[in-house]
Amino acid sequence: SLSILSNGFVWKPMSSSQRHFSASSMRPTEIISLQSSVDSIESSLFRASDQPEDEAPKVDASILVDLKTSPDFAANLNGSDVRVGIIMARWNEDIIKNLYKGVNESLSELGVKPSNIFTTYVPGSFELPITARFLAMSKRVDVIICMGCLIKGDTMHFEYISGAVSDGIMKVSLDTLVPCIFGVLTVLNPEQAKERSTGNDNLGLGWGKAAVEMGLARMSALGMGKMGSKATEPDTAFQKFNTSSSTVLPPLPNGDKEEKKEEKKKKIGF
């Protein structure tokens, strides 16, 4: 007779003649060993069939990582000599303003001087890479933070812009040796953007710290600092770059009136 197991396997027991023949041709120890093997296989088949198919595997909780936890930045960062460029897209202005507040809060916390912070605006995130390259080529900053906010819509526009912006910002970093922080939110809806730009979850707080750390890394690698090539550059305070027709002049290092008149004639830019 045939016995159908719960897992679909068919078990056919040996007839009495087969058992007699097998037993007569085998030693007692071999018979016991064979029977133990059969029992072990049958037991394992039943154990596998008793386990529910949809039961999730158990995971050791000790290896789980909170994906929203911010990275640990280097301790005792001193940004007093770091020159930071900040480029912001005008799209989703409310989100960008909150991120900017987070960046400035962390820069201030790490001792970055307001005179060493250069800010400017661009129409959208797509213009961030080329503007970052302009700023990097000016050799006036040690690190650049590119800030924007892309929210997915009904078309492929989100995918095209996100890929182009991230690739472009990385290329600027590699080509100019000026680190560029990717401060562009790529979210699926406005709610996600708000969550990532407010309170303790404001990603701008981390971008500012990352900028100081990378700025110091660049200065160290290139031998810049008080005794390096940076000290030979003119000590000109950075001002907000005004893209309107009016021009904002930086404060002069001295109070000579004649030099003031000549300085007003100069075009201010990168």
Side-chain angles (χ1 to χ4, degrees):
S1 61
L2 301 178
S3 298
I4 301 178
L5 304 180
S6 59
N7 56 9
F9 287 94
V10 177
W11 177 263
K12 182 180 179 181
M14 293 185 293
S15 64
S16 59
S17 60
Q18 288 175 321
R19 289 197 298 270
H20 176 74
F21 175 80
S22 299
S24 62
S25 59
M26 300 176 65
R27 293 190 296 270
T29 55
E30 293 178 340
I31 296 175
I32 296 175
S33 177
L34 176 61
Q35 186 62 42
S36 299
S37 299
V38 172
D39 293 342
S40 177
I41 294 174
E42 186 174 0
S43 176
S44 63
L45 291 175
F46 277 110
R47 285 198 303 269
S49 63
D50 292 340
Q51 184 178 2
E53 295 181 359
D54 57 348
E55 183 177 346
K58 296 181 179 180
V59 180
D60 187 359
S62 63
I63 65 174
L64 297 179
V65 178
D66 186 0
L67 298 181
K68 295 187 68 176
T69 301
S70 300
D72 293 329
F73 294 95
N76 302 322
L77 290 175
N78 183 0
S80 58
D81 290 330
V82 179
R83 304 170 301 171
V84 182
I86 302 176
I87 308 174
M88 295 174 285
R90 291 193 180 92
W91 276 92
N92 301 304
E93 184 178 8
D94 292 341
I95 301 298
I96 299 300
K97 284 183 177 180
N98 289 335
L99 293 171
Y100 181 66
K101 290 179 181 178
V103 168
N104 273 281
E105 181 179 336
S106 59
L107 293 180
S108 176
E109 177 184 343
L110 298 179
V112 178
K113 301 174 183 177
S115 59
N116 282 349
I117 301 176
F118 181 95
T119 61
T120 187
Y121 288 86
V122 292
S125 295
F126 192 75
E127 289 73 38
L128 288 172
I130 184 61
T131 311
R133 189 174 182 87
F134 289 154
L135 185 53
M137 293 176 64
S138 72
K139 299 181 180 179
R140 300 185 65 185
V141 295
D142 301 305
V143 63
I144 301 172
I145 304 176
C146 300
M147 298 170 54
C149 179
L150 298 172
I151 302 177
K152 185 174 176 59
D154 297 330
T155 67
M156 292 293 293
H157 179 267
F158 173 82
E159 285 78 4
Y160 287 128
I161 300 299
S162 297
V165 172
S166 60
D167 292 344
I169 291 176
M170 174 60 74
K171 192 173 189 304
V172 172
S173 295
L174 298 176
D175 290 349
T176 65
L177 299 183
V178 176
C180 295
I181 306 301
F182 185 77
V184 181
L185 296 183
T186 53
V187 295
L188 302 180
N189 51 61
E191 290 73 22
Q192 290 183 350
K194 185 176 181 180
E195 291 175 0
R196 289 157 176 78
S197 61
T198 55
N200 294 330
D201 293 330
N202 189 331
L203 295 180
L205 297 170
W207 297 342
K209 294 179 181 179
V212 172
E213 185 170 350
M214 291 305 300
L216 291 172
R218 174 182 182 270
M219 294 166 62
S220 176
L222 301 182
M224 303 174 68
K226 294 182 179 180
M227 300 301 295
S229 59
K230 177 182 172 183
T232 62
E233 297 179 5
D235 185 15
T236 304
F238 296 149
Q239 297 295 313
K240 179 178 178 180
F241 181 69
N242 193 344
T243 54
S244 63
S245 58
S246 60
T247 302
V248 179
L249 297 175
L252 296 173
N254 55 57
D256 190 356
K257 295 182 179 180
E258 294 182 358
E259 289 185 8
K260 284 185 178 180
K261 293 181 180 180
E262 294 179 359
E263 189 69 15
K264 288 182 180 180
K265 298 179 181 179
K266 295 182 180 181
K267 184 177 179 181
I268 302 300
F270 289 136

